[in-house]
Amino acid sequence: MYSIETKNLTKKFKEKTAVDGVNLHIKDGELFALLGVNGAGKTTTIKMLSAILLPTDGSITIEGMDMRKEPNKIKEILNISPQETAIAPNLTVRENLEFIAGVYQIRKPTIKINEIIRTFKLEELQKQKAKTLSGGWQRRLSIAMSLINDPKVLFLDEPTLGLDVIARKELWDIIGGLKGKMTTILTTHYMEEAEALSDRIGIMADGRLIAVGTAEELKDMAGTENFEDAFVAIATGKAATTEEGGEQK
């Protein structure tokens, strides 16, 4: 079953076409990375998938619901961990979780908050103000907050940007643990992150989805042993890709 499907997804800003006829199929419970250089269209695509922007043309179906007909219902089953760490710096770790639980009107919030604190290993930091945490722990808290409503679809925008190697690897373990529990869409500029975490990867260029596959499939397509080299070859048009309606099958 597909959690997310798009057909001819298009977004124009006046004369500029930012996203051009994207056909995307993301499986239920899959961790899917969407990659592209700056200006490739991935940010606009994510904004449409997360109900922030309406498409100019085409359709989006999430968990069987049409984005144009049921946007509010779709928003209830989504959550986003943005690139900018989304925490209240003067609240403690637990108070941040209590605040977001109140926003989503979570039933039995204490049980849910305790569960998240255990999952993210925040027990010893729960009374500490968020602004005193390291960057890695702040990102961990931000992602924890995005899970408070048990979303069926989670968007992770550059979740480890600017973190040191150890903090990044620790977050990889947490993100990897989400596989199968929810559908996760990851954007990142770290090629090794996409390769290590993703079930499948989509590559965009000039507003179009030009290749989709596992990291190994994309390396085979590009004829390279290194995934970063494969990404560069595909994104710059130096590798042959097989397209069918905007998505490689």
Side-chain angles (χ1 to χ4, degrees), residues 121 166-178 197:
K121 300 179 180 178
I166 293 174
R168 185 179 301 160
K169 290 293 177 92
E170 288 176 344
L171 270 180
W172 282 12
D173 289 340
I174 290 171
I175 294 167
L178 301 177
L197 293 176

Side-chain angles (χ1 to χ4, degrees), residues 17 75 77 105 191-192 227-228 243:
T17 301
K75 287 177 183 179
I77 63 168
Q105 298 181 333
M191 296 298 106
E192 72 276 17
F227 180 68
E228 184 170 325
E243 292 186 50

Side-chain angles (χ1 to χ4, degrees), residues 6-207:
T6 73
K7 294 180 181 178
N8 192 38
L9 186 62
T10 301
K11 184 64 179 179
K12 296 182 179 180
F13 297 98
K14 295 183 179 180
E15 301 302 316
K16 177 178 173 57
T17 301
V19 176
D20 187 7
V22 167
N23 295 310
L24 183 61
H25 303 82
I26 300 177
K27 300 171 186 175
D28 191 34
E30 184 174 26
L31 200 160
F32 187 92
L34 190 62
L35 308 182
V37 299
N38 291 336
K42 65 182 186 300
T43 299
T44 302
T45 299
I46 292 296
K47 285 182 176 180
M48 288 190 286
L49 294 178
S50 56
I52 295 172
L53 279 179
L54 283 175
T56 305
D57 196 8
S59 65
I60 302 170
T61 303
I62 296 184
E63 296 292 322
M65 294 180 285
D66 188 308
M67 181 70 79
R68 292 185 187 275
K69 296 178 180 177
E70 302 179 278
N72 291 332
K73 286 187 177 181
I74 289 175
K75 287 177 183 179
E76 290 176 1
I77 63 168
L78 303 181
N79 214 326
I80 304 169
S81 180
Q83 186 177 134
E84 302 79 14
T85 302
I87 58 175
N90 288 317
L91 297 182
T92 67
V93 167
R94 176 170 281 275
E95 287 169 345
N96 267 279
L97 290 167
E98 289 171 342
F99 171 76
I100 203 70
V103 170
Y104 281 97
Q105 298 181 333
I106 302 300
R107 290 186 177 184
K108 300 180 180 179
T110 300
I111 294 174
K112 184 61 183 176
I113 289 167
N114 288 341
E115 175 191 324
I116 287 178
I117 284 175
R118 287 193 301 271
T119 299
F120 284 80
K121 300 179 180 178
L122 294 164
E123 292 95 335
E124 295 183 7
L125 300 173
Q126 60 182 302
K127 295 182 180 179
Q128 192 168 322
K129 286 193 174 182
K131 66 182 178 182
T132 68
L133 301 176
S134 68
W137 283 103
Q138 287 186 1
R139 291 297 295 165
R140 188 179 294 213
L141 174 58
S142 183
I143 294 172
M145 291 168 67
S146 71
L147 297 178
I148 199 74
N149 64 327
D150 289 321
K152 291 185 178 180
V153 179
L154 176 66
F155 296 90
L156 295 176
D157 185 12
E158 300 283 353
T160 66
L161 183 66
L163 300 186
D164 61 50
V165 173
I166 293 174
R168 185 179 301 160
K169 290 293 177 92
E170 288 176 344
L171 270 180
W172 282 12
D173 289 340
I174 290 171
I175 294 167
L178 301 177
K179 288 185 179 183
K181 298 178 181 178
M182 63 192 68
T183 304
T184 306
I185 297 87
L186 168 74
T187 60
T188 180
H189 281 101
Y190 297 119
M191 296 298 106
E192 72 276 17
E193 183 164 283
E195 183 176 15
L197 293 176
S198 305
D199 296 306
R200 289 189 306 146
I201 298 164
I203 297 176
M204 293 190 70
D206 298 321

